[in-house]
Amino acid sequence: MKKFFSILTILLLSCSCKGQKLTKEKKTYKIEKTNAEWKDLLTVKQYTILREAGTERAFSSSFNKNKEKGTYACAACKTPLYKSKYKYDSGSGWPSFDRPIRGNVELDVDYKIGYARTELKCNTCGSHLGHSFDDGPKNTTGKRHCINGVALKFIPENK
């Protein structure tokens, strides 16, 4: 009898529920284009980062040292993503912000390097921006949105 219950328990635990979703549904965005359309619109570097989730070389973005007031927008669709007042020098080699413009940046999970990271995407077109980490300024949000400069377009405050 003991053997029977052990086998029954193993069988029940190994069964998968039909109600579980095994595949992630593809999100639709306000702006959707074919790969060919994105390639026509973006530079090779932008396409690699924004559409293929690439990463630019650390310390290569001119935005690292940009101190001007303004807004950082998505380089693909021009959606405003970050205000310059929330930008700070994290020392990481990429433009860093402690918070996005509410509702314009999507948080997703990315396992591309073997473990879960919080991926940041434009909520309008789904373009890859960078990743979020919990080592940001403790006196504000504690978050570091580490963004590829190529993914951004800077709009000065007076324009």
Side-chain angles (χ1 to χ4, degrees):
M1 193 65 162
K2 199 174 187 182
K3 199 178 213 182
F4 171 76
F5 283 114
S6 296
I7 292 170
L8 183 62
T9 302
I10 290 169
L11 284 173
L12 289 173
L13 291 173
S14 66
C15 292
S16 63
C17 297
K18 291 185 182 207
Q20 290 178 328
K21 288 188 179 182
L22 299 177
T23 58
K24 185 178 172 183
E25 289 183 33
K26 184 179 181 328
K27 180 180 175 179
T28 56
Y29 295 96
K30 292 176 197 165
I31 295 176
E32 294 210 0
K33 297 180 184 302
T34 65
N35 287 338
E37 290 172 319
W38 284 120
K39 283 181 179 179
D40 285 344
L41 182 69
L42 303 169
T43 67
V44 172
K45 199 175 202 180
Q46 287 174 323
Y47 183 85
T48 300
I49 290 166
L50 292 161
R51 307 309 306 169
E52 296 178 333
T55 302
E56 70 186 353
R57 204 174 71 251
F59 300 101
S60 65
S61 175
S62 63
F63 292 140
N64 285 338
K65 297 190 185 297
N66 186 18
K67 305 277 189 215
E68 286 184 69
K69 290 183 181 180
T71 302
Y72 292 86
C74 175
C77 72
K78 312 304 181 259
T79 295
L81 302 170
Y82 296 95
K83 295 282 187 188
S84 61
K85 67 182 177 179
Y86 299 120
K87 183 176 178 285
Y88 69 99
D89 183 2
S90 68
S92 68
W94 289 276
S96 298
F97 304 85
D98 72 350
R99 72 195 78 175
I101 294 174
R102 186 167 288 159
N104 291 357
V105 174
E106 170 189 357
L107 279 66
D108 199 358
V109 180
D110 143 14
Y111 294 94
K112 290 177 187 87
I113 62 171
Y115 60 90
R117 294 185 298 171
T118 303
E119 180 181 13
L120 301 168
K121 296 180 179 178
C122 173
N123 206 24
T124 302
C125 70
S127 288
H128 170 80
L129 304 170
H131 292 89
S132 178
F133 302 96
D134 293 327
D135 59 0
K138 299 293 179 213
N139 61 333
T140 62
T141 64
K143 299 290 182 189
R144 173 173 52 102
H145 283 212
C146 188
I147 308 298
N148 291 288
V150 171
L152 301 172
K153 174 180 175 50
F154 182 70
I155 303 160
E157 191 172 72
N158 299 330
K159 292 188 180 188

